[in-house]
Amino acid sequence: MFDAYGTLLDLGFITRKAEQAFPGRGAELSALWRDKQLNYTWLRTISGNYADFATVTADALDYSIERLGLAAPRQKRDDLLAAYWSLPSFPEVPAALLDLRNKGVRLGILSNGTPAMLEAALQSSGLAGLFDDVLSVDAAGCYKTARAAYQLGPDRLGMPPGRILFVSSNSWDISGATWFGYHTYWVNRGKHPPERLGTSPHASGETLKDLATLFA
Amino acid sequence: MFDAYGTLLDLGFITRKAEQAFPGRGAELSALWRDKQLNYTWLRTISGNYADFATVTADALDYSIERLGLAAPRQKRDDLLAAYWSLPSFPEVPAALLDLRNKGVRLGILSNGTPAMLEAALQSSGLAGLFDDVLSVDAAGCYKTARAAYQLGPDRLGMPPGRILFVSSNSWDISGATWFGYHTYWVNRGKHPPERLGTSPHASGETLKDLATLFA
């Protein structure tokens, strides 16, 4: 069971689009946008005020543009937001997923994205058709790391979380999934230290290629 | 009912201490530290894995030092962490609080800090004795923006949240308090845009002096 954004789908695409839209400010804008996007999912979940990921992503972009004092005509802002619907995958992802499928592994996605956002990005990235299950937290009305969000996996698969391998590049997501009871694999793409939340992933590697080699 | 960190107590002190400890990296370190500290409170609250604010603050510092690749002997790290126990107030705070007290306003604190952290910082800042109620979310075992954390205020005061003015410089805290039902006042010290969470404070100003002038 894979996380999508940052794990399968390359958010570096967003940074490049932001840099095209705002030369010299792209890295700063995309980092703040991502930060606010996640903060808003957590705050809304804690307070029980869910709004879907398309809304939260747009809100986070609007805040970031305003906070950084950027002049953004509506079209420029809309084009940048649309990048979330046309993401590419990381380069190794298609072959690694195909390898896993060929080894008989059932593949799924459990993402904060709305069903429509996920469908669009799976098309744009060429990953559509590789997954048996594409689950959106939208069905639970809350975001990861809420237990109700992670519970969608065991509910769909009809097996306990300890028998499901949850894969994410987001260390906080790995902590949440580990707390919940999944078997966890951290794709540490950035070679970062793990978040200090008192948990450890069951295994980790740097790309999905490392993950695929774990399966005989 | 006041938030403490960033509202009454000046976290710029942390930045200055961080700059002394790591010349040229203080702003970056203190920003990441604060960011991780808040993220950890939210993630632990969502997942029901509470650890107290002293623990979370230390964890966030250790992560940030490692993430930025800084060499920190134990003593240097301990000294920096200790800054949270010896914070000053913002310059206008003592006079503004005294003014409010003289106008007959009952003053309280509702903070993420542990009781011991709050007691130490109220001593170091000279604010001890100005408050009728000093409430720590530690009693609720979760952090703001959880309803159970905000509920400590109405429980102590024996009145509904709409009759209590909640004051914070943290826009996300104002959103949480507004969702909860407090009357809210945002001290926008940084002249930042409000977080886009679908709420508006009932009033706002730039310092506590602006707040004090509201009361006849």
Side-chain angles (χ1 to χ4, degrees), chain A residues 65-149:
Chain A
I65 286 171
E66 191 180 355
R67 173 71 182 263
L68 297 179
L70 303 173
R74 188 76 192 182
Q75 191 59 50
K76 202 179 230 190
R77 174 264 193 199
D78 289 350
D79 288 349
L80 194 46
L81 186 57
Y84 260 92
W85 278 255
S86 54
L87 291 164
S89 75
F90 288 98
E92 91 286 3
V93 166
L97 292 177
L98 207 55
D99 184 20
L100 286 166
R101 271 188 78 92
N102 290 339
K103 288 168 174 168
V105 181
R106 179 173 175 179
L107 304 179
I109 286 176
L110 174 52
S111 167
N112 276 344
T114 64
M117 290 174 82
L118 291 172
E119 191 184 339
L122 289 178
Q123 286 296 335
S124 63
S125 64
L127 300 180
L130 287 170
F131 295 95
D132 300 289
D133 307 285
V134 178
L135 306 176
S136 164
V137 301
D138 199 57
C142 57
Y143 290 100
K144 297 187 275 185
T145 60
R147 295 185 68 83

Side-chain angles (χ1 to χ4, degrees), chain B residues 70-84:
Chain B
L70 302 173
R74 188 76 191 183
Q75 190 59 50
K76 203 179 229 189
R77 174 265 193 198
D78 289 350
D79 288 350
L80 194 47
L81 186 57
Y84 260 91

